[in-house]
Amino acid sequence: MGEEEAAAARRAILSGWVTQGPEVAAFEREFAASVGARHACAVSSCTAALHVALLAVGIAPGDEVVTVSHSFIATANAVRYAGAHPVFIDIEPETLNMDPRLVAAALSSRTRAILCVHQLGMPCDVGVLAAIARGRGVPLIEDAACAAGSQIRASGGWEPIGRPHGDIACFSFHPRKLLSTGDGGMLTTKDAELDARFRLLRHHGMSVPDTVRHASTTVVTESYPSLGFNYRMSDIQAAVGREQLKRLPAIVAKRRELAGRYTEALRHVPGVTTPREPEWARTNWQSYVVRLRDGLDQTRVMQQMLDEGIATRRGVMNAHREPAYPEGTWRTTSEGLEHSEEAQDATIVLPLYHELTCQDQDRVIESLSRACGGSGIA
Ligand SMILES: *Cc1c(COP(=O)(O)O)cnc(C)c1O
């Protein structure tokens, strides 16, 4: 973030609106246009967006939602906020995304939704998943927390994630993601009725938004037709988001260039497998995750790199391995979650940010190569 974001926050503060108002409405219009969505509804986080999405499609206690364990814990948590049980299916090792071939075995008479994740920005196979969901008559919700700026090939051309290709897509604007409002989230959909439900749920279930009441020349009395939440985004955050949205294409382009450099250089490093981008996907490379060969200890490699001044992160977590997920709160299929667990234990996230210089990137490549037992000359 820079001067533009600071000036935008100042503008919102001095406008007198501060909370959800015209900046939020403008950010929603601009975000919707950028992903080609008919409707976009801003909320306080992607976790809130996922909760709202699940409630809007009618998820209720006792229902099952087919999803992945191999994700940030908020994905599975949102299912439980709605009183439902996550049914975890395994991932494809190369993309870290839900394996569509495993969905059929996870469906039961209690399945009410499929919640897929575009993990770390890498598009999952939403075309195939949407067809499965349609065949089953359940909605497909996309956890697109990391996927602002990612694209997928659909109906012959490249389309941004978020159109959406399922029924609802949920984005995060946490600082960890490419586009940030400090904290924040967005729901996109083609369905006007769903969008109306999002707007009720995010604002205490209140029938009249503040903007409408403020603009009215007659006295307006609101009602509360459903149980809602305070999941609003503030105008200060939205003003910052509008500036961030302008930067997104350049940030994605730079990351794709740097990721390409990693992939090219790391091809020659034994013991390291680079991530695969399917030919129908263009990831924003929110994170660049490599897999270490069997026998290479993840923590040892990370420590050796840290000793050389290079910070890495372990791969994506698995919700089902956490104490917050005791038996009875979730189930899986007979295929189990072997690839999910392997990915957590054998992958590391390399430094990648749009200001990364080629020189620093070469240091990372050399350090990783040394830590994996190579000469360090990639
Ligand atoms: C970051 C993230 C979330 C949570 O986003 P917040 O905006 O922090 O609530 C949910 N799902 C995935 C896959 C994420 O990476």
Side-chain angles (χ1 to χ4, degrees), residues 275-293:
R276 189 179 68 90
E277 182 179 57
E279 42 85 29
W280 43 263
R282 277 189 195 153
T283 171
N284 62 8
W285 291 114
Q286 186 207 272
S287 298
Y288 191 89
V289 176
V290 295
R291 185 179 294 268
L292 305 176
R293 148 172 66 75

Side-chain angles (χ1 to χ4, degrees), residues 37-321:
R38 215 167 288 160
H39 306 278
C41 176
V43 287
S44 52
S45 69
C46 183
T47 307
L50 292 167
H51 188 194
V52 162
L54 290 163
L55 294 178
V57 300
I59 301 301
D63 291 347
E64 286 186 345
V65 175
V66 176
T67 188
V68 285
S69 173
H70 188 71
S71 183
F72 182 56
I73 198 162
T75 309
N77 281 356
V79 174
R80 289 177 59 195
Y81 296 165
H85 291 277
V87 179
F88 294 135
I89 61 172
D90 214 358
I91 56 160
E92 297 170 321
E94 291 180 313
T95 60
L96 308 179
N97 275 326
M98 174 180 275
D99 187 339
R101 291 165 302 184
L102 302 179
V103 175
L107 299 170
S108 79
S109 60
R110 297 197 292 158
T111 309
R112 293 288 176 274
I114 299 171
L115 171 57
C116 63
V117 182
H118 302 292
Q119 197 55 256
L120 304 172
M122 183 67 79
C124 67
D125 202 345
V126 269
V128 168
L129 291 168
I132 296 171
R134 259 198 312 279
R136 184 67 182 201
V138 297
L140 175 67
I141 299 170
E142 300 168 53
D143 181 341
C146 304
S150 295
Q151 297 182 329
I152 192 161
R153 203 166 55 213
S155 29
W158 288 100
E159 292 183 352
I161 293 294
R163 197 174 57 114
H165 300 87
D167 296 272
I168 303 170
C170 300
F171 292 87
S172 171
F173 306 133
H174 181 270
R176 164 92 215 266
K177 326 294 183 187
L178 262 58
L179 189 172
S180 183
T181 57
D183 254 313
M186 191 76 81
L187 296 119
T188 60
T189 184
K190 301 185 197 67
D191 185 329
E193 242 172 77
L194 281 176
D195 183 62
R197 259 175 254 163
F198 303 159
R199 285 165 198 283
L200 271 182
L201 286 164
R202 75 169 169 183
H203 191 41
H204 306 288
M206 194 189 292
S207 61
V208 188
D210 294 339
T211 36
V212 171
R213 201 163 40 177
H214 183 73
S216 178
T217 52
T218 54
V219 174
V220 176
T221 315
E222 79 278 13
S223 66
Y224 298 84
S226 59
L227 180 67
F229 304 85
N230 178 355
Y231 281 166
R232 289 183 306 262
M233 176 182 281
S234 76
D235 256 27
I236 304 173
Q237 291 169 305
V240 170
R242 295 175 70 192
E243 293 305 319
Q244 287 270 289
L245 190 57
K246 292 181 200 161
R247 295 185 196 269
L248 188 63
I251 289 174
V252 173
K254 186 66 196 177
R255 296 181 87 96
R256 289 189 59 81
E257 185 190 319
L258 288 166
R261 269 190 104 241
Y262 264 143
T263 300
E264 184 52 35
L266 294 175
R267 275 197 311 147
H268 311 294
V269 175
V272 174
T273 308
T274 55
R276 189 179 68 90
E277 182 179 57
E279 42 85 29
W280 43 263
R282 277 189 195 153
T283 171
N284 62 8
W285 291 114
Q286 186 207 272
S287 298
Y288 191 89
V289 176
V290 295
R291 185 179 294 268
L292 305 176
R293 148 172 66 75
D294 247 9
L296 276 173
D297 182 71
Q298 182 191 46
T299 312
R300 206 194 52 73
V301 169
M302 291 172 70
Q303 186 63 52
Q304 188 172 330
M305 292 181 74
L306 190 60
D307 292 344
E308 297 186 4
I310 293 160
T312 58
R313 294 285 176 268
R314 70 163 188 181
V316 175
M317 64 174 296
N318 282 290
H320 76 277
R321 281 172 146 182

